[in-house]
Amino acid sequence: MPYITLRDGAQFYYKDWNPPESTGTGTVLFSHGWPLSADAWEKQMFFLAAHGYRVIAHDRRGHGRSDQTWDKNDVDNWADDLSELIEKLDLKELVLVGHSTGGAEVARYCTRHTTARVAKIVFISSVVPQVVQSSVSPDGVPVAVFDGFREAMLKDRAQFFLDVPRGPFFGFNRPGAKASEGLVESWFTVGMQGGLKAVYETSRSWEVDYSEDLKALEIPALVIQGDDDQIVPIKTGALAAIKLLKKGTLKVYPGGAHGIMDTQPEDINQDLLGFLKA
């Protein structure tokens, strides 16, 4: 399996699908959300690779197959890790795609490092600009909710990691929703591969204000979110983000849940492809 060694010696896993029939039309790099891994993007990676794109996704430190380091589980270090991957693979003309927490990671990479290697950026159900309730994000999630998440993880992470996908993540708790036990089990399995400390500390990134990161972006940005996202309220997510982006395009999915890459993969795939070709 492909790994790079990071500055602190940590082993950092990534998958790189560059099919022989690739048309050389570009490279798409995916950053996953909490508490998942590169595997969260397989539907999108398979689709885009079949359309001639090189597709890459990594496991954030502490998640999936990457090393479970004790420290550096914060957005600045994630941006540094991403920078090391991009530099070591010498990637150029990238399209960065971030879901949920991954949106914070790709935004911070662009402002902490550079957009010289980045052509476009995509935020899907992202925590940017600020998901926690604050004076600048009055429609955000009260910090007490995140405190409850952290308490639940420490008390019984396994049960919590079943409750989240069975409920708000995919919207399976909505009346008439047809739940997929396969999606639930997959989310649980991948989530439990992450280290407790890493997934616990990741929740602190949801309390960060990324407004300045978005304001600084000069590249085209696509913002996608469902209006029934129970994890990141759309008012504090996509609707707030689009106001800060200089070259932003907004796509709202009526009734869409947080995990729309899995619940509406055909729509996401077509919107990504259209943005890549634009």
Side-chain angles (χ1 to χ4, degrees), residues 194-207:
L196 176 57
K197 189 168 190 289
V199 297
Y200 182 93
E201 291 184 343
T202 292
S203 67
R204 300 295 183 189
S205 69
W206 307 335
E207 300 169 23

Side-chain angles (χ1 to χ4, degrees), residues 108-127:
R108 183 57 54 88
Y109 163 78
C110 288
T111 55
R112 185 172 170 86
H113 292 277
T114 179
T115 57
R117 293 177 177 267
V118 183
K120 300 177 181 179
I121 192 168
V122 182
F123 300 102
I124 301 177
S125 308
S126 180
V127 299

Side-chain angles (χ1 to χ4, degrees), residues 203-221:
S203 67
R204 300 295 183 189
S205 69
W206 307 335
E207 300 169 23
V208 176
D209 183 358
Y210 302 99
S211 297
E212 296 305 316
D213 298 274
L214 297 189
K215 291 177 184 178
L217 290 175
E218 302 280 352
I219 56 177

